[in-house]
Amino acid sequence: MNFLVIGGDAAGMSAASRAKRNQPDMNVTVLEQTMDVSYSACGMPYNISDPSRDIDDLVVRQAQVFREKQGINLLTGCRAEAIEPETRVVRAVDYSGKQMEFKYDNLLIATGASPIMPDIEGIDLNGVLPLKGLSDGRNIKAYLNNHDVRSAILVGMGYIGLEMSESLSKRGIEVIGTTRGFMRNYDEEIAEVVKQTLAAHDVSLYTDYVVEKIEKKGEKLTICCGGKKLEADMLLMGLGVWPNSKIASDAGIELGSKDSIAVDRRVETSLSGIFSAGDCADAYHVVTGEKVWIPLALVANRAGWAAGDNVCGKNVQLQGVAGSAVFKVFELEVARTGLSVKEAEAAGFDPAAITIKARSRAHAHPGASDIWVHMVGDRKSGRLLGTQMVGKEGVVHRIKGPTVALHAHMTVQDFSQTDLAYAPPFSPVWDPMLTAANQLVKKL
Amino acid sequence: MNFLVIGGDAAGMSAASRAKRNQPDMNVTVLEQTMDVSYSACGMPYNISDPSRDIDDLVVRQAQVFREKQGINLLTGCRAEAIEPETRVVRAVDYSGKQMEFKYDNLLIATGASPIMPDIEGIDLNGVLPLKGLSDGRNIKAYLNNHDVRSAILVGMGYIGLEMSESLSKRGIEVIGTTRGFMRNYDEEIAEVVKQTLAAHDVSLYTDYVVEKIEKKGEKLTICCGGKKLEADMLLMGLGVWPNSKIASDAGIELGSKDSIAVDRRVETSLSGIFSAGDCADAYHVVTGEKVWIPLALVANRAGWAAGDNVCGKNVQLQGVAGSAVFKVFELEVARTGLSVKEAEAAGFDPAAITIKARSRAHAHPGASDIWVHMVGDRKSGRLLGTQMVGKEGVVHRIKGPTVALHAHMTVQDFSQTDLAYAPPFSPVWDPMLTAANQLVKKL
């Protein structure tokens, strides 16, 4: 039995390892086009912030370990070029240009996603750097080491852009952030808190700013939008990613949300025996029941496991994603789960929402700070639809409560009754989320 | 309409405030036997640790505010002595010894709980101090100010004992902890982590130690158990509390779990028009569906609100408690929710459990520490029954996830699929709770 995996990052290696553990005699082959496998892409901003750390610290498991300890036939520097479903063959080319063919019984497409690089003048200039894969991180660290980078422009202020604004500031680099919209999937009050923190750390923020072209004069890079020119020593592209699904659509596999590869709850594609997992594949949203494309690490790992189980004859069905995301930016923790008001409206709900400000610790307990909770519920069903939070402590882990509530399709009323235990160093008697729920109940 | 409340702490004042807000023309009277109302008892260990802070910082709202701003007829120094349900009268005595009578249409008994003081020789000696009410906190602070307290014995190592061990250590006082059993409602591995942390902070711990008598020689207090004598400058009694339910049972009201006052989901007692809330009353357990007595602050506040609503003709029904509790001891956060293995067996479940050790942050992220997760599930139904955790960060808020899962009667399998978002500063890709759930699923 041949299990072939295209892509050797989180989803691909999770699937390969899982299948091999399930059935040690299975023939498991992984084709990875780069030389890097199994690394923590999410850790890059924190690694880049520290000149003393090697980017390869982020490698979770060496290729050699997969090969020698786990018996996985892992080929790095080997790019899959085409899938031929009729003959169950994948054609590939290795780093030397040699054409290769791989037979499979089951196939996993775990090709991930690529950074969006807009088709504008100057996008190829030296110093214009994307941040997605480990090699991008390597390039950025090398550029920082080899150039006198005193200022950097972030093009795009999504999670990576926000994390990088902290990362570069820590290295003493002046940061300029440009973005079309700012935290558009977040409540305005929540986004405002982040904005103020960026300002407090001297990050200049230009919203409604769409880069039209990039120019280089000497060592300086210049971007412009309308009449507004900005200049820096480095340009980090963080405009998001798009799914690497072309190899799948070329093979006749159906695409789903945002041209990602459509999979069922068993992460199988429209072609039997071909699975997909990770940043290239879509997933069910537990709140709406609809397909969405939210490329995040846990989803990739979980779907990889499911693929590795299901190719071994198990029947693992995934519930899907809840739209959870958390990040740190300077001293702030930011968290969301479920739907924003706009997303809820788009999904056909009749949302009501509330944003409250509370304290992170009990009355009179020293060290307390502000914490904002935004909560969205459905007027028709009373269901909790989403929660967002920002604050200096207790935000990221707190969101796990409403996340679980979303999986359980709980009402706001029922959530407001949960026994969220209290101790003075950690929250007021009424947890800020309960205060929000108590108030939201009245609006439903 | 007369709403009479016996007891002016969390539950009583919550109910009085809520009723008055619902119906401003309602005649709301509160009888409080001490001079203190509405304070954060849970905050006392943190206040006592700091000689510069006044214990009255813990007062959340002054009696005057209740009287003048909220129009509540609040009588402090007024002790309720008897309830006469036939005539709907409560007899009381004020601080001067004057007998008083109060008519009621609806009555709330919010008499709280009292510290257990064993009937042993020397229990009344100066320097032997309980810690429950604000006056106890005041006494302890005064004793510390007026005596050269270099060492203290904690009799009982429940939540208060553990919190006080940190509190007194911070004041440079040598702490000796004595207890019959140690964290008996917790998994052994979890308890062991706490034990080691106490030892690291030079807290001497004597388990299987039941104080038989107390003696005083000069300024020193001595306790003994069998042949083992221990000596210190102060003795803090933290053997737990018992519900102040006698006034209720004397009036013919049914008692429930551990002689607390039995209430229904509307927090009404066995006698119509008489409600009970707070540390004196029982509650439904959301996992077992049985009545339990778990006197904690959130439960008291929530039940007080429910009483204040229900006396105004609303029909608020409480889901109950999940057995959640969290505390801090030195650098550790400790949290539990739901049932321990023993509690699960006693409730008729067929529990399986797992304890795992994971890291608090992602692979290669600096500052990570160990985090232990103990998870209990039911073999028959697959249901999640309980979770316990200990670690230096991310424990107390993390427990909110499984707490919500317990309210939703979620299976361990379903919990293992929740979208608990990840970012490197906060957890590994697989949250430690998901790792525990993934492993527990295999044992069910």
Side-chain angles (χ1 to χ4, degrees):
Chain A
M1 160 89 154
N2 290 317
F3 177 35
L4 181 64
V5 177
I6 305 176
D9 200 356
M13 295 320 300
S14 291
S17 299
R18 187 84 165 185
K20 199 73 189 173
R21 208 174 322 131
N22 287 336
Q23 293 188 13
D25 59 345
M26 186 183 273
N27 193 2
V28 178
T29 300
V30 179
L31 313 180
E32 166 55 42
Q33 64 177 340
T34 74
M35 300 308 286
D36 300 312
V37 293
S38 185
Y39 58 90
S40 168
C42 308
M44 286 198 287
Y46 306 96
N47 184 293
I48 291 168
S49 69
D50 183 353
S52 72
R53 285 177 67 200
D54 194 295
I55 196 84
D56 286 297
D57 287 356
L58 296 171
V59 174
V60 179
R61 204 174 292 170
Q62 303 287 342
Q64 204 175 339
V65 176
F66 288 111
R67 291 183 187 121
E68 294 176 9
K69 293 262 165 87
Q70 294 184 236
I72 293 168
N73 181 27
L74 168 58
L75 288 87
T76 49
C78 183
R79 194 174 71 248
E81 303 249 281
I83 302 164
E84 293 171 359
E86 303 77 16
T87 51
R88 300 213 160 200
V89 159
V90 167
R91 285 193 289 103
V93 57
D94 81 356
Y95 48 91
S96 69
K98 193 174 85 180
Q99 299 286 332
M100 302 171 87
E101 261 193 22
F102 298 88
K103 296 277 297 171
Y104 66 82
D105 298 297
N106 284 300
L107 175 68
L108 174 66
I109 307 172
T111 43
S114 293
I116 293 170
M117 297 293 273
D119 184 20
I120 55 172
E121 189 187 324
I123 192 78
D124 295 326
L125 285 167
N126 192 21
V128 179
L129 299 156
L131 179 54
K132 172 68 176 79
L134 195 63
S135 60
D136 298 325
R138 214 171 267 131
N139 291 341
I140 292 169
K141 285 209 109 162
Y143 197 86
L144 289 168
N145 286 342
N146 300 332
H147 296 78
D148 182 21
V149 177
R150 297 188 185 188
S151 61
I153 293 172
L154 302 172
V155 179
M157 289 295 272
Y159 299 137
I160 296 268
L162 287 162
E163 287 171 346
M164 284 307 297
S165 67
E166 178 187 352
S167 169
L168 296 174
S169 290
K170 276 199 175 159
R171 289 184 70 133
I173 296 168
E174 185 201 339
V175 175
I176 300 160
T178 67
T179 172
R180 186 194 294 258
F182 185 72
M183 290 181 68
R184 279 180 294 186
N185 286 326
Y186 285 79
D187 173 57
E188 271 178 34
E189 250 181 283
I190 303 280
E192 186 58 33
V193 177
V194 177
K195 250 185 198 170
Q196 286 176 11
T197 293
L198 291 177
H201 288 276
D202 297 320
V203 174
S204 312
L205 187 64
Y206 295 86
T207 53
D208 294 316
Y209 196 106
V210 181
V211 180
E212 289 155 3
K213 63 175 175 178
I214 310 168
E215 291 172 335
K216 193 157 193 175
K217 283 181 189 159
E219 286 295 300
K220 291 283 180 192
L221 290 155
T222 307
I223 58 171
C224 69
C225 165
K228 183 72 195 161
K229 288 200 171 189
L230 298 169
E231 187 186 78
D233 301 314
M234 188 172 90
L235 218 66
L236 274 194
M237 302 301 297
L239 290 170
V241 296
W242 50 270
N244 294 326
S245 56
K246 188 169 182 298
I247 195 170
S249 59
D250 285 351
I253 292 167
E254 279 174 26
L255 298 188
S257 174
K258 294 184 184 167
D259 281 344
S260 62
I261 300 169
V263 293
D264 63 14
R265 291 192 184 278
R266 297 176 67 250
V267 304
E268 197 164 11
T269 69
S270 59
L271 295 186
S272 171
I274 303 185
F275 297 79
S276 184
D279 288 1
C280 57
D282 69 4
Y284 286 92
H285 197 295
V286 296
V287 178
T288 64
E290 302 293 318
K291 294 303 264 315
V292 286
W293 180 62
I294 304 177
L296 288 173
L298 174 63
V299 187
N301 279 270
R302 188 176 263 149
W305 273 24
D309 280 339
N310 288 337
V311 299
C312 295
K314 297 191 187 183
N315 183 26
V316 174
Q317 309 237 356
L318 297 183
Q319 284 184 12
V321 300
S324 308
V326 301
F327 66 94
K328 178 180 181 297
V329 54
F330 295 104
E331 67 275 20
L332 288 184
E333 300 183 11
V334 190
R336 63 161 288 174
T337 192
L339 307 178
S340 67
V341 170
K342 274 183 213 160
E343 290 167 339
E345 280 165 353
F349 293 103
D350 181 13
I354 191 138
T355 306
I356 64 129
K357 184 167 126 177
R359 297 291 280 170
S360 66
R361 302 183 185 186
H363 168 82
H365 199 90
S369 56
D370 290 330
I371 181 167
W372 287 259
V373 183
H374 173 71
M375 199 170 269
V376 185
D378 182 32
R379 286 197 186 87
K380 279 178 280 189
S381 62
R383 267 176 70 188
L384 178 69
L385 298 178
T387 302
Q388 302 179 358
M389 278 187 282
V390 65
K392 289 182 183 167
E393 59 180 5
V395 165
V396 156
H397 295 304
R398 223 177 214 115
I399 204 82
K400 292 172 169 67
T403 300
V404 172
L406 294 178
H407 279 269
H409 291 197
M410 205 178 252
T411 62
V412 178
Q413 170 76 46
D414 281 350
F415 182 77
S416 78
Q417 288 227 7
T418 53
D419 188 12
L420 304 183
Y422 140 83
F426 306 108
S427 79
V429 179
W430 288 95
D431 189 273
M433 300 192 299
L434 296 178
T435 300
N438 285 335
Q439 293 198 25
L440 182 55
V441 162
K442 294 182 207 159
K443 294 184 79 174
L444 293 180
Chain B
M1 161 90 153
N2 291 316
F3 177 35
L4 182 65
V5 177
I6 305 176
D9 200 357
M13 294 319 300
S14 292
S17 299
R18 186 85 166 185
K20 198 74 189 171
R21 208 175 319 133
N22 287 337
Q23 294 187 13
D25 60 343
M26 187 183 272
N27 193 2
V28 179
T29 300
V30 179
L31 313 179
E32 166 56 43
Q33 63 176 342
T34 74
M35 301 308 287
D36 302 312
V37 294
S38 186
Y39 57 89
S40 168
C42 309
M44 286 199 286
Y46 307 97
N47 184 294
I48 292 168
S49 68
D50 182 352
S52 73
R53 286 177 66 201
D54 195 294
I55 196 85
D56 287 296
D57 288 355
L58 296 171
V59 174
V60 179
R61 204 173 292 172
Q62 301 288 341
Q64 205 174 336
V65 176
F66 288 110
R67 290 184 188 122
E68 295 175 9
K69 294 260 164 86
Q70 294 183 237
I72 293 166
N73 181 29
L74 168 57
L75 289 87
T76 49
C78 184
R79 194 174 71 247
E81 304 250 279
I83 302 164
E84 293 171 0
E86 302 78 16
T87 51
R88 299 212 161 202
V89 160
V90 167
R91 286 194 289 103
V93 58
D94 81 355
Y95 48 90
S96 69
K98 193 176 81 177
Q99 299 286 332
M100 303 172 88
E101 260 194 24
F102 298 88
K103 295 279 297 174
Y104 66 83
D105 298 298
N106 283 301
L107 175 68
L108 173 66
I109 307 172
T111 42
S114 294
I116 293 170
M117 297 292 273
D119 184 21
I120 53 171
E121 189 186 324
I123 193 77
D124 296 324
L125 285 167
N126 192 20
V128 179
L129 299 157
L131 179 53
K132 171 70 176 76
L134 194 63
S135 61
D136 299 324
R138 212 171 270 132
N139 291 341
I140 292 168
K141 284 209 112 162
Y143 197 86
L144 289 168
N145 288 341
N146 300 332
H147 296 78
D148 183 23
V149 176
R150 300 189 182 184
S151 60
I153 293 171
L154 302 171
V155 178
M157 288 296 271
Y159 299 138
I160 297 266
L162 286 162
E163 288 171 345
M164 284 307 298
S165 68
E166 178 187 353
S167 170
L168 295 173
S169 290
K170 277 200 175 157
R171 291 185 69 134
I173 295 168
E174 184 201 339
V175 176
I176 301 159
T178 66
T179 172
R180 187 194 294 258
F182 185 73
M183 290 181 67
R184 278 180 294 186
N185 287 327
Y186 285 79
D187 172 58
E188 272 180 34
E189 249 180 285
I190 303 280
E192 185 59 31
V193 176
V194 177
K195 250 186 197 172
Q196 286 176 11
T197 293
L198 292 176
H201 288 274
D202 297 321
V203 174
S204 312
L205 186 65
Y206 295 86
T207 52
D208 294 316
Y209 195 106
V210 182
V211 180
E212 289 156 3
K213 63 175 176 178
I214 310 168
E215 290 171 336
K216 195 158 192 176
K217 283 180 191 162
E219 286 295 298
K220 293 282 180 192
L221 290 155
T222 307
I223 58 172
C224 68
C225 166
K228 182 73 195 162
K229 288 201 173 190
L230 298 169
E231 190 186 76
D233 301 315
M234 188 172 90
L235 218 67
L236 274 193
M237 302 301 297
L239 290 170
V241 295
W242 52 270
N244 294 328
S245 56
K246 188 168 181 299
I247 194 170
S249 59
D250 284 351
I253 292 167
E254 280 175 24
L255 297 187
S257 175
K258 294 185 183 164
D259 281 342
S260 61
I261 300 168
V263 293
D264 63 15
R265 292 192 183 278
R266 297 177 67 252
V267 305
E268 197 165 13
T269 69
S270 59
L271 294 187
S272 173
I274 303 184
F275 297 79
S276 182
D279 289 0
C280 57
D282 68 5
Y284 286 91
H285 197 295
V286 296
V287 179
T288 64
E290 302 291 318
K291 293 303 263 317
V292 285
W293 181 62
I294 304 177
L296 289 172
L298 174 63
V299 187
N301 279 270
R302 188 176 263 149
W305 273 25
D309 280 339
N310 289 336
V311 298
C312 294
K314 296 192 187 181
N315 183 26
V316 174
Q317 308 236 357
L318 297 183
Q319 284 184 12
V321 299
S324 308
V326 301
F327 66 95
K328 178 178 180 299
V329 54
F330 295 102
E331 67 274 21
L332 289 183
E333 299 183 10
V334 189
R336 63 161 288 172
T337 191
L339 307 177
S340 67
V341 169
K342 274 183 210 159
E343 289 166 340
E345 281 166 350
F349 293 103
D350 180 13
I354 191 137
T355 306
I356 64 128
K357 186 168 125 178
R359 298 291 280 172
S360 66
R361 303 181 185 188
H363 167 82
H365 199 89
S369 56
D370 290 329
I371 181 167
W372 287 259
V373 183
H374 173 71
M375 199 170 268
V376 185
D378 181 33
R379 286 197 185 87
K380 278 177 280 187
S381 62
R383 267 176 70 189
L384 178 69
L385 298 177
T387 303
Q388 302 179 359
M389 278 187 282
V390 65
K392 289 182 184 167
E393 59 180 5
V395 165
V396 156
H397 294 304
R398 221 176 216 117
I399 204 84
K400 293 173 168 64
T403 299
V404 173
L406 294 178
H407 279 268
H409 289 198
M410 205 177 250
T411 62
V412 178
Q413 169 77 44
D414 281 351
F415 182 78
S416 78
Q417 289 226 6
T418 52
D419 188 11
L420 304 183
Y422 140 83
F426 306 108
S427 78
V429 179
W430 289 95
D431 189 272
M433 299 192 300
L434 295 178
T435 300
N438 285 334
Q439 293 197 26
L440 181 55
V441 163
K442 295 183 207 158
K443 293 183 80 174
L444 293 179

